[in-house]
Amino acid sequence: MEQLYYSLLAMLLGVFACVFYFFGSNWLLGVIFPINHVSNQKMAKNIRRAAAIRPWLFLGPALFFLGLYLVYPVFDSVYLSLHGRNGEDFVGLANYQWLFNDNEFIESLINNVMWLLIVPALSTFFGLIIAALTDRIRWGNIAKSLIFMPMAISFIGASIIWKFVYDYRAEGSDQIGLLNAVVEYFGGTPQAWITIPFWNDILLMVILIWIQTGFAMVILSAALRGIPEETVEAAVLDGANGIQIFFKILIPQIWGSIAVVWTTITILVLKVFDIVLAMTNGQWDTQVLANMMFDWMFRGGGDFGRGAAIAVIIMIAVIPVMVWNVRQANAQMEGR
Amino acid sequence: MQSIPSNKSNRVMMSLKQMRRSPLMLLVHLSVLLLVLLWTFPTAGLLISSFRDKDQLAVSGWWEALSSSEQNLIGRTDAPDQQVLLDGEYVLAGKIEDFNPKDEILRFGWTSQEPEAYLAGSVAKMRDGGTLTVAGDGRYSMASPTPFTGSRGNRVFYTALASPKFTLDNYDEVLHSEGIGQSFINSLTVTIPATIIPILIAAFAAYALSWMRLPGRGILIALVVGLLVVPLQMSLIPLLQLYNTIGGYFGVSAKSYLGIWLAHTGFGLPLAIYLLRNYISGLPKEIIESARVDGANDFDIFVKIILPLSFPALASFAIFQFLWVWNDLLVATVFLGNGEHELVLTGRLRELLGSRGGNWEILTASAFVSIAVPLTVFWTLQRYLVRGLLTGSVK
């Protein structure tokens, strides 16, 4: 309980520090470049000077945190990936050479590609279907909320939920996992699915699809609603049926949003870690890059060189999306 | 004056109506229902299971929670000092200890090798010529030509049709003896400052990037957009090293609450700045310009006008950051220790998955405690969450 007070105190201190910094720096600016009781010429000059400095005061703390916690680490990770396990002796590309000859890494790479192909596609697909269907019915909003709900659940909580669904009891005893109960109901043999390669990968992906479909649905539902009704009406007049309207009128108009959903989930998939850690910890051919990286960070006291090399590989995979995002944002700003 | 609908729009209305009434609509209702059930069943299973009696939970699926289930149980007769001598036989009779009166005994036995050897109500032959009868309602009678000895009663094995039992025992256990209660407080300790601190920093930066004249603004915005997707994995090792160095220099632990608050602040800033900038730059230009004409400087404008107007965006980000920090496992594992006063809920769940992998009563109750807070936030503040998603995704 006591630490909760510390926490509240820290929060107050943090907020106070921010307020103090912003007000204090503003006050200081007023003192250094006074605008009262000075000649008009000087006042104009001081106002200009203060206006030139103030943005940097506003940006200062943010730039400090971004720089320290995100920008510097990118360069340091690249640096570390060229060094040995404690990050001291230079080893050139040895870590990367080791990576590409390591079976676990190849396995992770293949699994990551599978995740990348399946999860964004299915999440977007389900999100789109649900968005389109729920827009037409009266209880659509409740349905949407229920499907959106897993977004609020942690990956580890979701893993427990699904591990329970996949639970396996020996044949003959009552299954308490939903999946095996369904399999048995249809005359199949219950299996310890989590230990069967390939299928276990799919089952882990199901968890992320379950979480991300709600996100896709929210974005796409808003996009669908933004479509001008005249286009649909015109199509109806021309005798298009529901399916034609959906694929030929609606979809082409929301390509932009589909791309947003797709890339956002792609980025998430590249970083997927908690689910694999909790469900299998990379056993039974389910290893992925992020979990392998975490593993090397601590394995045998931690090998920072190899861990950083894996992180760099993840970063390289993210770069295309990053470039695309930045270009989109720039284009949007110029349009404004 | 009411406008008379033209023939054309009339036809459109007609066919739209027809589409709504068609049998296809029934299909739409059914498929949405199916999808909703698919999406909610896993969570429902967790929730229901967490309230079930742990012995029932282990032997039957949660979808059978309301029907009776067969359970193998062990009870005891009364102690031998209760025996009476009746017609030359020593007799011990009564109710089986710990028998739930709502259950019904189906079969019983007196050795662990044959726990289901006899039907309820029949007479079992024990060694030394003794007999044992157990009725369906839990009454037993045991007779023997020789006196019963020992300090405790005989063990009785039985299979009972147990009536559904719901209990809060699982929650009681995880909160008090499995450390979930303490972890709950630890999670709050991490989450509250890590949610509040980045907001102010980001809001000032977002304003500067929206309305202040400064060289390189475009580059800075591009930087923020780029940093949005930088994987956390890149930051872990360099920061861990940095924390170790700083901790070593000052002679304190590298893993501290302060460290994780600042880490979450750093990692949350790109989204915070991006989200707030999108909102703040969309505010009407006239408000800011008229304030400038009135002689207000940017600081006054921000504090007195922009900040109050930005409340919806601030709330959106606060919810995002809260959910993200509360649900985070990676940052907490790397930057916070494993001690009783530091392990957060997600970390504890991970630990329980390892140590209590088969005890579903523990896992389900613990998981539900950990997801209860985000779910509450979700259901009460969903509107802001949706708004945040819509302004926060790169378009």
Side-chain angles (χ1 to χ4, degrees), chain A residues 131-195:
Chain A
L133 292 179
T134 49
D135 267 355
R136 294 149 145 254
I137 53 179
R138 214 173 293 153
W139 54 287
N141 278 338
I142 302 167
K144 273 198 238 173
S145 291
L146 285 169
I147 290 172
F148 190 33
M149 190 177 70
M151 269 291 280
I153 297 174
S154 59
F155 286 152
I156 196 108
S159 299
I160 291 186
I161 291 177
W162 283 89
K163 209 168 192 179
F164 190 48
V165 172
Y166 301 153
D167 191 66
Y168 164 72
R169 295 286 152 114
E171 209 181 343
S173 51
D174 274 0
Q175 297 295 332
I176 67 168
L178 194 56
L179 178 64
N180 275 321
V182 171
V183 167
E184 217 169 40
Y185 181 82
F186 286 107
T189 321
Q191 308 271 1
W193 297 104
I194 284 301
T195 60

Side-chain angles (χ1 to χ4, degrees), chain A residues 100-115:
Chain A
F100 284 98
N101 288 311
D102 183 60
N103 285 334
E104 197 187 2
F105 176 74
I106 302 297
E107 174 199 319
S108 311
L109 216 54
I110 294 171
N111 282 336
N112 261 99
V113 169
M114 265 197 350
W115 279 78

Side-chain angles (χ1 to χ4, degrees), chain B residues 282-302:
Chain B
L283 292 172
K285 207 174 175 182
E286 293 74 29
I287 302 181
I288 290 138
E289 276 174 358
S290 66
R292 276 202 185 126
V293 169
D294 290 345
N297 65 25
D298 282 309
F299 188 82
D300 298 326
I301 295 174
F302 175 76

Side-chain angles (χ1 to χ4, degrees), chain A residues 32-48:
Chain A
I32 297 173
F33 301 110
I35 51 173
N36 297 327
H37 317 296
V38 287
S39 71
N40 276 353
Q41 203 185 2
K42 197 156 187 210
M43 185 176 101
K45 204 171 161 192
N46 279 350
I47 287 181
R48 254 186 289 120

